[in-house]
C-alpha cells in the first residue's frame, strides 16, 4: 500500500475506532493496533504515521499502559491524543501531573502558535476535553502550541522529530476544528497524500482473493443484509462462478425481500454465480411453534440456519472456502482488533464455520466500516435499494414478533412494516422536495413490530378482537443510544389508518416512545 497504513495505537479509548475513521475520511488508510503490540511489530507494518489514542489510565500510576520510546526515535511521525499525548510527554521527560483543574466537555483552547497540527487555526478554538491529568511542562525539544485554563500544555510539537501531541479529542465532532487538526498532521506534518477511499480496497481484495483461492470452490451464505451481499459481489468479481451463494429464506424476512435478493443475485440477476435459494419457511415455523422466549427464538433461528446452510453446502460438494461478511466494527467489538473492551461477541465473527470442514474463511470486508462497505457495494454495482437497507437483525422478524411466531403473524408484521416504511419514505421525500434538506425527525431506523396483545375493537358494525402493531422509529448516531423520532402526527395517523384498513388481524396501532437506554432499538 503506497499510502499508509496509519496505525492507531489503542490505549483502551472509547474513541480509538473513531480516530481510524477520521484518518480514512482524510483519504489515508488506517488501522487499529493494541498498545500491547511490541513496537518492533508495529514498525514492521511499515506505518506511514502513528497515532496514540486516549485511554482511561493515568500515566504515572503503576502498571499504566505505555509504549516503548523506540517509537519516538523511529522517524515515523507520531501524534499523541489525550492519554497518548500524556504518554509521549511523560516518556520523553516532560512534567505530567494531576491537573489543578480537570476539564470535561467543551473547553476553549488558546492557540500560542498556529503551526504544524494547528496550522491555519484561529487564536481560540472550541475543543472537547476529558482529562484530570495535565502536561505541566513539555519535554525538551518541544514547542507549546496551545494551552487551556486547566492544561498549561494543551498541544505541543517537535518538528525536527515529527512528534506532536494534543490534549483534546480532535476525533469527536464536538471539537469543530478537530478534523482539520488530523488532516494537518497527516497531510502537512507526515506529508501523506489524500488518495485512499473505500473503493481502493476492492482491487486489493480482488487480487488477494484470486491468490488465496486459485481455482478452488467458494461458498457464501447470503442473508439479504448489506454485508454479505457486498462480500459476495466482491468475491464474485475476483473468481466469478467459482462462487456459490446460498440464500436461506427462513420466512422471517421483510416483505418482498427474498425476491429482491434473488433478483440481484439469482439466475436472472447481475452476477454470473451459482445461486441456491432455499425456501425453508415451514421448517423454521415448525421449530418456532409454541416458543415465546426471545433468546430461545434467537437460538432456534440461528441453529436452524446453520443446519439448512450445512445441508446445502454438502450438496455443493467439496468446498474449500467460506465467505463471511465480517466488517471492521465486528472485529473490533469482538476484541480482536484493538484494546477496547469486548462489547459483544458478534454473530458475524467466527459464527458459522464450526460445522463443516472449510479450509479457510474469506473475509473481504474485514477492514471496512459500514458506510465504506456501502460505498464498495455501489461501486460493485449492487442496487442502491439493497445497499442502503436499514439494519435488520439476523433472526429477522422472528424477534419483531412478541411471543410465538406463526406464518400468519409474519404476514401481519411484514404488511404493516411495508406500509409504515413506505409512508415514512414518502413523507421524507416530500419534505426534502419542499425544503431542500432532510427533516430533523428523519429516523435512522424505523420498523413495525407485532405485540402479543389482542383487544376489542369495532370495525363497521362488527366487534373485533385483534392484534396491536407497534411502530418504532429512532434517531441515533451509533445505535448504542437512541431517541424516539418525532415523526409528524399526520404521518403516523395515515400509517395507522392504512394498517388497520389493509392488514387483516390488526385493530390497534401504538407508537413506541421509549429511548435507548432503557429500551433497546429492536422490539423483542
Ligand atoms: P438493539 O436492539 O440492541 O439494536 O438496541 C441495536 C442495533 O443492532 C441491530 N440488531 C441486530 N443486528 N443481529 C444483527 O445483525 C442481531 O441479532 C441484532 N439485534 C439487533 C438493531 O436492528 C439495531 O440497529
Amino acid at each position: 500500500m503506497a499510502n499508509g497504513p496509519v496505525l492507531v495505537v489503542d490505549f483502551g479509548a472509547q474513541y480509538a475506532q473513531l480516530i481510524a475513521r477520521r484518518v480514512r475520511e482524510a483519504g489515508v488508510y488506517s488501522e487499529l493496533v493494541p498498545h500491547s503490540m511490541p513496537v518492533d511489530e508495529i514498525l514492521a507494518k511499515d506505518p506511514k504515521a502513528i497515532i496514540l489514542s486516549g485511554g482511561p489510565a493515568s500515566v504515572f500510576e503503576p502498571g499504566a499502559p505505555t509504549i516503548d520510546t523506540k517509537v519516538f526515535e523511529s522517524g515515523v511521525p507520531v501524534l499523541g491524543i489525550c492519554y497518548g499525548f500524556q504518554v509521549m510527554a511523560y516518556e520523553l521527560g516532560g512534567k505530567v501531573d494531576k491537573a489543578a483543574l480537570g476539564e470535561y466537555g467543551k473547553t476553549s483552547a488558546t492557540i500560542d502558535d498556529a503551526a504544524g497540527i494547528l496550522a491555519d487555526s484561529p487564536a481560540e478554538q472550541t475543543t472537547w476535553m476529558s482529562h484530570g491529568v495535565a502536561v505541566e511542562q513539555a519535554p525538551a525539544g518541544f514547542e507549546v502550541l496551545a494551552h487551556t485554563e486547566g492544561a498549561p500544555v494543551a498541544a505541543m510539537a517537535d518538528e525536527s522529530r515529527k512528534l506532536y501531541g494534543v490534549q483534546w479529542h480532535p476525533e469527536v465532532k464536538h471539537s469543530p476544528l478537530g478534523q482539520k487538526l488530523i488532516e494537518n498532521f497527516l497531510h502537512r506534518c507526515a506529508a501523506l497524500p489524500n488518495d485512499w477511499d473505500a473503493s481502493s480496497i476492492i482491487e486489493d481484495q480482488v487480487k488477494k482473493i484470486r491468490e488465496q483461492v486459485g481455482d478452488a470452490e467458494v461458498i457464501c451464505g447470503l442473508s439479504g443484509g448489506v454485508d454479505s451481499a457486498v462480500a459476495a459481489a466482491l468475491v464474485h468479481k475476483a473468481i466469478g462462478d467459482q462462487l456459490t451463494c446460498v440464500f436461506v429464506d427462513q420466512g422471517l424476512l421483510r416483505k418482498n425481500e427474498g425476491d429482491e435478493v434473488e433478483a440481484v443475485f439469482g439466475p436472472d440477476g447481475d452476477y454470473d454465480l451459482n445461486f441456491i435459494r432455499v425456501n425453508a419457511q415451514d421448517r423454521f415455523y415448525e421449530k418456532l411453534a409454541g416458543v415465546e422466549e426471545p433468546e430461545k427464538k434467537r437460538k432456534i433461528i440461528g441453529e436452524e440456519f446453520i443446519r439448512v446452510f450445512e445441508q446445502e453446502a454438502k450438496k455443493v460438494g467439496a468446498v474449500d472456502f467460506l465467505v463471511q461478511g465480517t466488517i471492521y466494527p465486528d472485529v473490533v467489538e469482538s476484541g480482536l482488533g484493538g484494546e477496547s473492551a469486548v462489547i459483544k461477541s458478534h454473530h458475524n465473527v467466527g459464527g458459522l464455520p464450526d460445522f463443516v470442514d472449510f479450509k479457510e474463511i474469506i473475509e473481504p470486508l474485514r477492514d471496512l466500516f459500514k458506510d465504506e462497505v456501502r460505498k464498495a457495494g455501489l461501486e460493485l454495482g449492487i442496487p442502491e435499494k439493497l445497499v442502503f437497507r436499514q439494519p435488520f437483525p439476523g433472526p429477522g422478524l422472528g424477534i419483531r414478533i412478541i411471543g410465538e411466531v406463526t406464518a400468519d403473524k409474519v404476514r401481519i408484521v411484514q404488511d404493516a412494516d411495508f406500509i409504515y416504511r413506505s409512508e415514512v419514505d414518502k413523507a421524507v421525500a416530500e419534505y426534502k422536495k419542499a425544503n431542500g434538506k432532510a427533516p430533523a425527525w428523519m429516523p435512522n431506523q424505523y420498523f413495525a413490530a407485532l405485540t402479543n396483545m389482542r383487544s376489542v375493537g369495532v370495525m363497521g358494525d362488527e366487534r373485533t378482537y385483534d392484534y396491536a402493531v407497534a411502530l418504532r422509529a429512532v434517531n441515533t448516531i451509533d445505535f448504542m443510544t437512541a431517541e424516539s423520532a418525532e415523526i409528524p402526527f399526520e404521518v403516523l395517523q395515515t400509517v395507522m389508518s392504512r394498517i388497520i384498513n389493509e392488514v387483516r388481524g390488526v385493530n390497534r396501532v401504538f407508537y413506541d416512545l421509549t429511548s435507548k437506554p432503557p429500551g433497546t432499538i429492536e422490539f423483542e
Side-chain angles (χ1 to χ4, degrees), residues 298 347 391-395 445 479 516 520-522:
R298 275 180 179 268
H347 62 287
F392 190 58
Q445 190 172 354
F479 295 88
K516 172 185 177 176
T520 61
I521 294 174
E522 290 296 338

Side-chain angles (χ1 to χ4, degrees), residues 127 194 220:
T127 68
N194 172 347
C220 173

Side-chain angles (χ1 to χ4, degrees), residues 253-258 260 397 414-415 417-418 421:
L253 299 167
R254 286 169 282 204
K255 192 179 168 86
N256 302 335
E257 192 157 47
E260 282 165 16
L397 299 179
Q414 277 181 337
D415 288 347
D417 180 64
F418 187 77
R421 283 187 290 125

Side-chain angles (χ1 to χ4, degrees), residues 461-501:
D461 290 327
E462 297 281 319
R463 175 188 189 270
T464 58
Y465 186 62
D466 282 332
Y467 283 108
V469 158
L471 305 177
R472 184 94 173 110
V474 293
N475 290 120
T476 174
I477 293 171
D478 53 11
F479 295 88
M480 307 286 277
T481 60
E483 298 294 331
S484 168
E486 287 186 39
I487 298 198
F489 200 63
E490 62 272 21
V491 178
L492 293 174
Q493 273 179 317
T494 308
V495 174
M496 175 274 295
S497 97
R498 277 197 60 193
I499 290 177
I500 289 177
N501 285 319

